[in-house]
Amino acid sequence: MPKKHNNLWLPYTQMKNVFSPVKAVKTKGSLIYLDNNKSLIDGISSWWTACHGYNHPHMIKKINYQLKRMPHIMFGGIIHDQAETLAHRISKLLPKGLNKVFFSDSGSVSIEVALKIAIQYWINNKEPQKNKFLFFRNAYHGDTSGAMSICDPEEGMHNLFKNYLSNHIMAELPTDSNKEESFNNLVNKYKNKLAGIIVEPLIQCAGGMIVHKPKVLEKISTLSKKNDIPLIFDEIATGFGRTGSMFAFEQTKTIPDIICLGKALTGGTISLAATISSEKIYKSFLNDDESYALMHGPTYMANPLACSAANASLDLFESQPRLKQVKKIENYLSKNLQECLNFKRVTNVSIKGAMGSIHIKNLTSEEIKWFKQRFINKGIWIRPFGNIIYTTPPFIINKKQLQLIVNSMIDCLKEWSSISKF
Ligand SMILES: *Cc1c(COP(=O)(O)O)cnc(C)c1O
């Protein structure tokens, strides 16, 4: 009998042999319930989205209300309360002047929109030769073509497509004086061609959970301001409390010209993303000539259900001690994950807010499979990738659950280091 799931094609998955997927039937709090009557503690918040845990009653109530009233309406020429309110609330959270919100359906698309805004900004300013972007090694900005072209070609999961993508300029993050010099040189060399500089503030996530200091971001910002190059922050992963402040850049003395938000924007319920531009950039699009208008418009743009979810999520950030919970998680991870450094192949343990990562030398896909299964056996949902085993739990996770996650990580490492084949 062919199984129903034979028609599915999963992300980043070799479908040939290993197709015995975990099947979820419901969720609640930090738990994912499976069809075999077992449950898993979600150690990664469904790809860093479910910051309030699952099925939060306030989220459900608000989404339900919107579902009955108006699940969707096209955004071309029609606006609605949920979008207006959300755009207003997002701009209130951001520094003054960063206040023009363009909605889209996913993080990758919000990046595409940021790139198009920067390109068209220069076209509108009669400098169309400025059409290259500077990005950083280990960057990950999404899976669509424009986004792929500004990901690290090796670490960004898109090596196969390099001959198809347009070429941009990769720099090293200026983490020491040598790298700073080469970054400065690159900017000087290309400044007349650069439409923008794009960076993930304070931690490069899918490119390997690599943390950098506020100073690094400040150097990038200083140089971009000096040369009048729009600075784009990708806070799709870091936004909404994950690093300990509402947005990661708040821990630095920098302000972007464009910022992309996604993932936890709707508290892990419905896909929605946003690209927010400065007043200055936005103004270059205002003209009696229609061709100055931004040429982008996703069909489900600003979907009212998704916007209501995002509004409900922001309610919870206002009413609940989310940033304190992140701090508690950070403290716990800092105290308890460090001992992993004692394992031979562990090269680094990095903690930033509610994100804890164990970096392992030459982790093979065989080993990744082994770890995944071991974690499931222990009742934990954790999904190692590249060279890392990491956790990004829901902010509402309780102490006991967090303990279980961390202990499982340590126990699995112990077990793994005692097995000769590894
Ligand atoms: C996840 C992610 C994206 C892409 O978002 P999608 O919603 O998966 O398209 C882009 N940038 C960063 C930093 C991300 O973490």
Side-chain angles (χ1 to χ4, degrees):
M1 249 279 279
K3 297 219 168 103
K4 274 192 291 183
H5 71 228
N6 279 352
N7 298 105
L8 292 174
W9 198 340
L10 271 65
Y12 307 114
T13 303
Q14 172 49 260
M15 301 295 289
K16 182 153 184 253
N17 305 318
V18 289
F19 202 20
S20 53
V22 173
K23 188 165 181 180
V25 290
K26 66 174 187 180
T27 48
K28 184 110 190 137
S30 300
L31 294 178
I32 305 167
Y33 292 88
L34 307 182
D35 63 344
N36 60 6
N37 292 324
K38 292 194 172 136
S39 65
L40 302 175
I41 301 170
D42 189 351
I44 56 172
S45 306
S46 272
W47 270 334
W48 329 335
T49 62
C51 51
H52 314 293
Y54 295 104
N55 306 48
H56 193 290
H58 180 70
M59 304 279 308
I60 302 277
K61 187 175 128 202
K62 292 290 178 168
I63 295 170
N64 256 328
Y65 174 84
Q66 189 60 40
L67 179 64
K68 288 181 194 141
R69 200 174 167 85
M70 180 171 69
H72 185 63
I73 184 77
M74 68 182 283
F75 210 58
I78 304 177
I79 63 168
H80 53 84
D81 262 346
Q82 292 293 356
E84 254 186 318
T85 305
L86 181 58
H88 186 66
R89 291 175 85 175
I90 290 174
S91 51
K92 283 280 169 223
L93 289 172
L94 293 169
K96 200 163 166 273
L98 197 54
N99 56 12
K100 300 299 176 185
V101 183
F102 192 97
F103 289 112
S104 55
D105 333 85
S106 74
S108 301
V109 175
S110 78
I111 294 287
E112 301 288 337
V113 171
L115 302 182
K116 284 174 75 172
I117 287 175
I119 296 283
Q120 203 175 338
Y121 167 74
W122 289 114
I123 294 173
N124 290 348
N125 279 316
K126 308 285 178 246
E127 294 200 65
Q129 80 286 358
K130 293 190 174 174
N131 59 12
K132 294 287 169 201
F133 290 93
L134 186 139
F135 63 96
F136 293 94
R137 185 178 298 286
N138 299 308
Y140 174 82
H141 297 295
D143 287 354
T144 52
S145 325
M148 280 198 290
S149 71
I150 48 165
C151 291
D152 184 319
E154 259 91 59
E155 296 301 320
M157 306 186 248
H158 307 308
N159 196 12
L160 289 175
F161 303 99
K162 61 175 185 269
N163 294 330
Y164 153 75
L165 300 173
S166 52
N167 279 317
H168 296 284
I169 297 135
M170 183 167 80
E172 303 286 335
L173 277 173
T175 49
D176 61 32
S177 51
N178 280 343
K179 287 176 181 164
E180 189 180 348
E181 199 185 320
S182 61
F183 168 62
N184 290 356
N185 291 342
L186 268 180
V187 171
N188 273 328
K189 181 169 171 199
Y190 289 106
K191 64 185 174 205
N192 296 322
K193 293 200 172 125
L194 285 179
I197 296 178
I198 184 161
V199 61
E200 296 157 83
L202 298 193
I203 175 165
Q204 295 176 301
C205 294
M209 295 293 192
I210 302 163
V211 178
H212 57 262
K213 296 219 163 68
K215 220 171 46 192
V216 173
L217 205 64
E218 285 156 11
K219 281 179 188 149
I220 297 168
S221 168
T222 304
L223 206 59
S224 85
K225 297 274 179 292
K226 187 177 145 209
N227 292 294
D228 192 27
I229 304 166
L231 182 60
I232 305 167
F233 284 173
D234 177 350
E235 291 236 22
I236 292 165
T238 52
F240 302 101
R242 186 53 69 182
T243 67
S245 49
M246 201 57 177
F247 303 106
F249 78 86
E250 291 171 18
Q251 297 171 41
T252 72
K253 295 193 199 79
T254 65
I255 294 178
D257 301 291
I258 298 175
I259 185 168
C260 296
L261 304 174
K263 288 203 164 86
L265 172 59
T266 61
T269 53
I270 306 173
S271 190
L272 182 72
T275 309
I276 302 100
S277 298
S278 71
E279 199 85 58
K280 177 184 164 188
I281 291 197
Y282 176 78
K283 274 196 184 131
S284 77
F285 288 78
L286 306 180
N287 199 291
D288 290 329
D289 182 344
E290 285 287 331
S291 74
Y292 279 62
L294 177 60
M295 286 298 151
H296 201 91
T299 304
Y300 278 91
M301 178 171 177
N303 169 253
L305 266 185
C307 290
S308 75
N311 278 316
S313 176
L314 291 183
D315 293 343
L316 292 175
F317 274 102
E318 285 168 13
S319 66
Q320 307 294 312
R322 291 292 178 254
L323 297 184
K324 284 200 186 115
Q325 291 166 325
V326 171
K327 192 74 205 159
K328 270 196 191 153
I329 295 170
E330 180 171 41
N331 289 342
Y332 187 84
L333 294 175
S334 300
K335 215 157 115 227
N336 295 286
L337 269 189
Q338 297 297 344
E339 71 170 89
C340 295
L341 280 170
N342 297 330
F343 295 104
K344 251 192 300 178
R345 272 168 59 199
V346 172
T347 55
N348 191 15
V349 171
S350 57
I351 317 286
K352 183 76 207 166
M355 319 172 94
S357 314
I358 305 166
H359 301 246
I360 298 170
K361 205 165 149 184
N362 303 328
L363 196 63
T364 64
S365 54
E366 195 73 9
E367 288 172 319
I368 287 178
K369 255 186 247 166
W370 181 87
F371 273 110
K372 264 186 212 163
Q373 193 53 52
R374 266 298 185 278
F375 286 126
I376 290 171
N377 296 350
K378 288 178 181 293
I380 307 291
W381 180 241
I382 281 189
R383 205 169 172 277
F385 71 92
N387 282 325
I388 47 186
I389 298 174
Y390 77 97
T391 181
T392 51
F395 302 161
I396 53 90
I397 196 163
N398 65 40
K399 180 105 186 245
K400 205 169 143 215
Q401 291 169 325
L402 187 58
Q403 242 163 8
L404 269 167
I405 291 175
V406 168
N407 290 346
S408 304
M409 287 167 95
I410 296 168
D411 291 347
C412 283
L413 277 175
K414 257 187 210 142
E415 204 181 328
W416 157 75
S417 65
S418 71
I419 299 172
S420 59
K421 106 174 153 153
F422 293 127

